Amino acid sequence: MSQPPPTVLSFAASDSTGGAGIQADILTLASMGCHPLSVITAITIQDTAGVDDVMALDPEWVADQARAVLEDMPVNVFKIGMLGSVEIIASIAEVISDYPNIPLVLDPVLASGRGDELANDEMVMAMRELLLPQATIITPNSLEARRLAQDDDDDDDDDNPNLSQCAGRLLSLGCEYVLITGTHENTSQVINSLYGSAGVVRSDKWQRLTGSYHGSGCTLASAIAAGLANGLSIAEGVYEAQEYTWQSLKAGFRPGMGQHLPDRLFWARDESDIGNDKDDAKGGD
């Protein structure tokens, strides 16, 4: 019998387009040599343009999905994406607290690429209090980092705080590392910075590709989880995940009338198989 691949257990919502959510996680993890395990947190009605509605599952069902898998096979890494409700956040936090030695990659999905809100203020607070303290690394974009790091006493007019300060606040909540992605910043290149307790661990610059993408954040977080499951360090895993994500965006395609989707199997295709619009890509959400 062959040696089993490393396993990653993803908690995420279902996205029927295959662009984001649990489908994106499964594609990314499998593409990077892992066996994906999945726990569905919510069902969405969406297309490549945006999210129209979300139905969160019963939190007991979410927990039972996870415990059934965890009691049956070893898990190398947890990955968390869109959650659906405060009760689901609490349920997942309780489950993963029983496995403190399993690394946790948290992608705090707060809105869709179109701007549809996917987490209200109560959910943001629950993430801060229950999940961030258990996270090995969180992967917010700059907008999500500012919202997560905002204190109740912050000046509402200060909507563009320093990202280093945001990272410091998030680290103070208990997570080990924070990777803030710069797609939404007004810079000529996309700058992604990884922060740890001692400051910046690494900062990487990537060509800013035009257009917008559905599921780039899910791809990046899942790729980091795959790297950790395959034995890479945080710094190595973050770089390799960025490279993988950028290549998947560059080779992406537009199957519908909305955003492009990353091609997470770009490495398996010949150049001639990749669409002519592959250079119209940019990390979107």
Side-chain angles (χ1 to χ4, degrees):
M1 184 179 296
S2 61
Q3 183 73 17
T7 58
V8 176
L9 175 57
S10 174
F11 299 83
S14 175
D15 173 8
S16 299
T17 73
I22 201 73
Q23 288 85 347
D25 295 347
I26 290 171
L27 278 168
T28 301
L29 294 168
S31 177
M32 297 189 70
C34 293
H35 178 63
L37 309 173
S38 58
V39 171
I40 307 297
T41 59
I43 298 171
T44 65
I45 299 174
Q46 63 178 297
D47 55 21
T48 55
V51 180
D52 293 325
D53 207 351
V54 176
M55 183 180 73
L57 296 190
D58 185 296
E60 291 188 9
W61 272 74
V62 174
D64 288 348
Q65 288 179 76
R67 292 200 184 279
V69 171
L70 285 161
E71 292 169 6
D72 181 52
M73 64 184 81
V75 171
N76 296 96
V77 178
F78 291 130
K79 186 268 179 182
I80 296 178
M82 182 182 151
L83 294 167
S85 72
V86 169
E87 293 77 14
I88 287 175
I89 293 172
S91 179
I92 292 174
E94 182 177 357
V95 169
I96 63 176
S97 69
D98 292 336
Y99 301 87
N101 295 323
I102 298 179
L104 168 61
V105 179
L106 172 61
D107 177 19
V109 180
L110 306 184
S112 73
R114 186 173 64 183
D116 310 296
E117 183 174 280
L118 301 176
N120 58 29
D121 290 343
E122 289 75 18
M123 290 175 63
V124 172
M125 184 62 67
M127 288 184 204
R128 285 166 50 101
E129 294 180 355
L130 300 177
L131 293 180
L132 263 68
Q134 300 191 65
T136 306
I137 179 172
I138 66 172
T139 62
N141 60 42
S142 56
L143 303 180
E144 292 165 338
R146 291 188 176 101
R147 186 175 175 192
L148 281 168
Q150 187 174 30
D151 291 330
D152 292 338
D153 296 332
D154 283 347
D155 184 348
D156 290 338
D157 294 331
D158 183 15
D159 60 356
N160 192 38
N162 183 288
L163 291 176
S164 295
Q165 294 176 331
C166 290
R169 292 182 186 178
L170 295 172
L171 289 165
S172 72
L173 295 174
C175 58
E176 296 181 43
Y177 295 92
V178 177
L179 174 66
I180 300 181
T181 59
T183 300
H184 295 279
E185 298 300 286
N186 186 23
T187 54
S188 59
Q189 294 178 295
V190 175
I191 304 172
N192 301 330
S193 297
L194 175 66
Y195 300 86
S197 58
V200 177
V201 176
R202 67 176 306 132
S203 186
D204 300 292
K205 296 181 180 180
W206 301 90
Q207 178 186 347
R208 185 179 287 279
L209 304 170
T210 59
S212 63
Y213 261 81
H214 179 53
S216 58
C218 303
T219 305
L220 178 62
S222 293
I224 293 172
L228 298 182
N230 279 300
L232 297 182
S233 68
I234 287 286
E236 293 170 331
V238 163
Y239 179 79
E240 292 298 328
Q242 291 178 80
E243 172 70 26
Y244 172 86
T245 302
W246 191 87
Q247 293 293 344
S248 74
L249 298 180
K250 184 181 179 184
F253 55 97
R254 188 172 183 239
M257 295 182 288
Q259 294 179 301
H260 291 70
L261 305 187
D263 184 357
R264 300 171 181 98
L265 298 176
F266 65 87
W267 53 266
R269 309 189 199 284
D270 295 330
E271 274 298 310
S272 59
D273 294 332
I274 299 174
N276 293 329
D277 62 347
K278 70 176 183 177
D279 289 326
D280 294 333
K282 165 189 166 187
D285 57 338

